[in-house]
Amino acid sequence: MRIAHTIDELAPHTGGVLIPTMGALHPGHLLLVEAARKYADEHSGIPVVVSVFVNPTQFNEQLDFDTYPKRLDQDARACANAGATCVFAPSVPTMYPTDDPVPVPPLPQVASSPMLEDHHRPGHFPGVCQVCKRLFDLCKPSATIFGEKDWQQLSCIRAMCAQLDLPIDVIGHPTIREPDGVAMSSRNLNLTTAQRKQAVGIVRGLIEAGQHANPADAERAGRDTAESHGVRMEYLAVRDASTLLAPKPDEPARVLAAGRLGDVRLIDNAPWPNFSLDAPDAHLE
Ligand code: AMP
């Protein structure tokens, strides 16, 4: 497996499956890499590229950017073991050359769904679309894998690829959770032991929301459950799974949540209604 820092070094590894990440990889990320390996093997052994780039343009808080965990050597070893062909770890000037500015592509409508990520992190999705379009231009993937954990991001990327007519198969991978149900996230590394215990409130809120057939009741009950664990919720909202607007009868819906523990912001989501972990009570205290 190669580590490419420059566009020239990346060149032999284009045309495959791309997994964009910001590094500090956890076992959830590595399952995406394994899924990419499987996809590549079924498509004449095309390359599997994992990009590791902490994208400054998608952070709306300097502290979040500054404290984002970084550990490239460890990430590269893990990617090699999971079947990657190449880790692409570009510098900021490689991604964003000052003499050739990288445009923000026209944003799909899902990027600005009311009262969700865009409201709480203004500028986040423009940054995500900008970096992903740049990565797509450089890596020329035929497929790309994104986690359902970031449902709004996955929706944006799908919509952006459709809008720009990019010939890329956008594959969503189910959320990988810790034994207690908390979604794996690089940001979990920044939680104290006490906060890590409280973090389970978010997934418990999603489960509670799934017990209510009326969206407003679901949102209220889900939020109360999360906050009873000490999570400061920014939103817990039931939305149409595709448009991220108000849910429609008989269409798939999703409950989406974001909350804070100290300075750490966590997000999660689940199908709605009737979401349960395989054996939640076996893991939840
Ligand atoms: P990140 O490095 O956090 O930007 O994540 C890189 C990719 O991994 C994104 O597509 C995420 O949605 C995905 N990902 C991160 N955590 C998880 C998880 N727990 N389960 C599934 N996918 C994940």
Side-chain angles (χ1 to χ4, degrees), residues 183-202:
M184 288 188 180
S185 166
S186 308
R187 288 189 172 87
N188 293 349
L189 291 171
N190 291 341
L191 296 171
T192 63
T193 307
Q195 289 168 340
R196 174 61 188 77
K197 283 194 177 147
Q198 292 173 296
V200 79
I202 299 181

Side-chain angles (χ1 to χ4, degrees), residues 19-32 51-53 58 68 144-151 153-154 171 173-178 182-188 267-268:
I19 304 135
T21 82
M22 297 201 299
L25 302 182
H26 53 62
H29 289 118
L30 298 173
L31 286 177
L32 269 62
S51 62
V52 173
F53 180 64
Q58 74 187 67
Y68 202 87
T144 184
I145 303 188
F146 284 79
E148 290 184 352
K149 187 211 149 223
D150 298 278
W151 186 267
Q153 171 173 273
L154 171 62
I171 301 166
H173 192 287
T175 301
I176 314 298
R177 298 180 178 279
E178 301 281 0
V182 170
M184 288 188 180
S185 166
S186 308
R187 288 189 172 87
N188 293 349
I267 59 171
D268 200 351

Side-chain angles (χ1 to χ4, degrees), residues 152-170:
Q152 296 170 67
Q153 171 173 273
L154 171 62
S155 306
C156 275
I157 299 303
R158 274 195 207 293
M160 180 182 82
C161 288
Q163 199 165 288
L164 299 177
D165 207 13
L166 302 179
I168 303 173
D169 188 7
V170 180

